[in-house]
Amino acid sequence: MSANAPTQAITPQLRQWIVEQAQSGHAPDVVLKAMRDAGWDEDVAIEAMESTLREHLAQSAPRTQTGPGSALPPAATVPEPALEASPLYIDAVDRRVHVLSVQSQPRIVVFGDLLSAEECEALVGLARPRMARSRTVATKTGGEEINVDRTSDGMFFQRGETDLITRIEARIAALLRWPLENGEGLQILRYGPGAEYKPHYDYFDPAEPGTPSILKRGGQRVGTLVMYLGEPERGGGTVFPDVHLEVAPKRGNAVFFSYDRPHPSTRTLHGGSPVLAGEKWIATKWLREREFA
């Protein structure tokens, strides 16, 4: 593999090499490092990897019943903040929210000052007496289960359960331009020292037998907003391994990401890094395709 061409063209030979590395089980970061070591510009290398693997995945994925000749689940409409004019702030009903960083593919937006310190403390105070070992949705059955990958305590608020919850949910709906009724109730999580949530996807796997039952309550999840309520002393960032991104758990800030289909091609694999000191509190809002009842 040579990178001597001044334009560093993405050739068929390079694409074949990338596919061979993936088929051999090499992780994306290993392939990227090999390309950088060979002299490839990082942006060109990333584009070559992404486009090549996306095309290869589409060609090799099994056909589904979602439409004639369709290789992937169909794309859905997703929440989208008002970012067209590259704003520094977005007015969300009762609060001016900072736009700290924006990524397009996948869509990941970091917001600042979404919640006040007082709101963070109030949410933690309301949740603390109701905390229990966190559970996840069991896509094999449609129920809930304790997941060994998620070592946190948590609880759910009903949508509109208190005036505080109502105010925050209205703010989120305006910020993300998504109907309030399409949101699940807020989940509050506490991660103590050593607690983590290993990388996972938030959509419901269509291949699991329990998914059809889950989807009756509003369809697929299409977006996630993670709000930081309490800062750990060290660790606890939200990581996106496929795009080499880590978001620091700064109190009052939040990270939003969307996924238009229940498929790894969305590159929304994410997790909560282990808390190394102190404790981390977060509030998560999952957004569905339709009204969540």
Side-chain angles (χ1 to χ4, degrees):
M1 183 177 59
S2 173
N4 292 330
T7 58
Q8 295 194 312
I10 302 175
T11 64
Q13 292 80 6
L14 174 61
R15 292 185 182 277
Q16 180 61 34
W17 179 84
I18 290 172
V19 170
E20 290 172 354
Q21 300 312 299
Q23 291 176 333
S24 299
H26 296 296
D29 56 340
V30 174
V31 179
L32 179 61
K33 183 178 185 303
M35 294 180 70
R36 287 201 309 262
D37 291 346
W40 285 90
D41 176 82
E42 183 168 352
D43 289 341
V44 175
I46 291 173
E47 169 59 25
M49 287 178 55
E50 291 180 351
S51 61
T52 298
L53 295 179
R54 184 164 53 245
E55 291 171 9
H56 178 70
L57 184 62
Q59 292 170 1
S60 61
R63 300 292 177 180
T64 69
Q65 302 301 314
T66 57
S70 175
L72 294 173
T77 302
V78 298
E80 177 63 13
L83 300 170
E84 297 85 359
S86 300
L88 296 179
Y89 306 94
I90 296 177
D91 289 321
V93 185
D94 63 340
R95 195 166 184 83
R96 200 180 195 208
V97 179
H98 302 226
V99 179
L100 300 182
S101 71
V102 176
Q103 183 164 311
S104 297
Q105 298 292 333
R107 170 59 91 204
I108 302 174
V109 185
V110 180
F111 294 111
D113 205 27
L114 174 57
L115 300 174
S116 69
E118 293 76 17
E119 288 172 331
C120 292
E121 292 170 3
L123 284 173
V124 170
L126 289 170
R128 194 182 293 275
R130 296 162 56 179
M131 303 297 282
R133 174 67 190 271
S134 296
R135 293 175 175 268
T136 59
V137 175
T139 51
K140 294 187 181 298
T141 65
E144 293 184 336
E145 63 184 359
I146 290 178
N147 188 329
V148 295
D149 290 340
R150 188 181 216 176
T151 53
S152 62
D153 297 324
M155 58 80 63
F156 271 97
F157 286 112
Q158 295 296 316
R159 202 169 58 221
E161 183 173 331
T162 70
D163 289 344
L164 172 64
I165 299 295
T166 298
R167 183 171 74 246
I168 293 172
E169 288 176 331
R171 188 182 304 159
I172 293 169
L175 177 68
L176 302 181
R177 298 192 292 187
W178 201 247
L180 187 151
E181 60 270 17
N182 290 21
E184 298 181 26
L186 280 182
Q187 185 186 43
I188 309 297
L189 294 172
R190 173 196 171 274
Y191 292 83
E196 64 178 321
Y197 195 180
K198 293 181 180 177
H200 60 282
Y201 298 99
D202 279 354
Y203 57 73
F204 304 114
D205 187 346
E208 293 289 357
T211 294
S213 295
I214 297 169
L215 299 187
K216 291 178 181 178
R217 296 188 66 195
Q220 269 289 357
R221 287 175 175 167
V222 290
T224 302
L225 180 71
V226 177
M227 296 165 279
Y228 304 107
L229 308 179
E231 301 175 9
E233 297 171 30
R234 290 187 292 116
T238 302
V239 295
F240 295 83
D242 288 349
V243 293
H244 311 289
L245 174 66
E246 179 172 0
V247 179
K250 173 68 176 173
R251 185 172 70 169
N253 290 4
V255 59
F256 163 74
F257 53 100
S258 61
Y259 28 98
D260 62 358
R261 64 188 85 224
H263 195 276
S265 62
T266 60
R267 295 186 298 153
T268 54
L269 185 71
H270 65 285
S273 295
V275 171
L276 303 179
E279 62 179 19
K280 177 180 73 170
W281 288 79
I282 64 172
T284 302
K285 168 67 81 171
W286 285 290
L287 306 166
R288 297 288 192 104
E289 292 178 284
R290 303 184 297 277
E291 180 176 356
F292 179 76

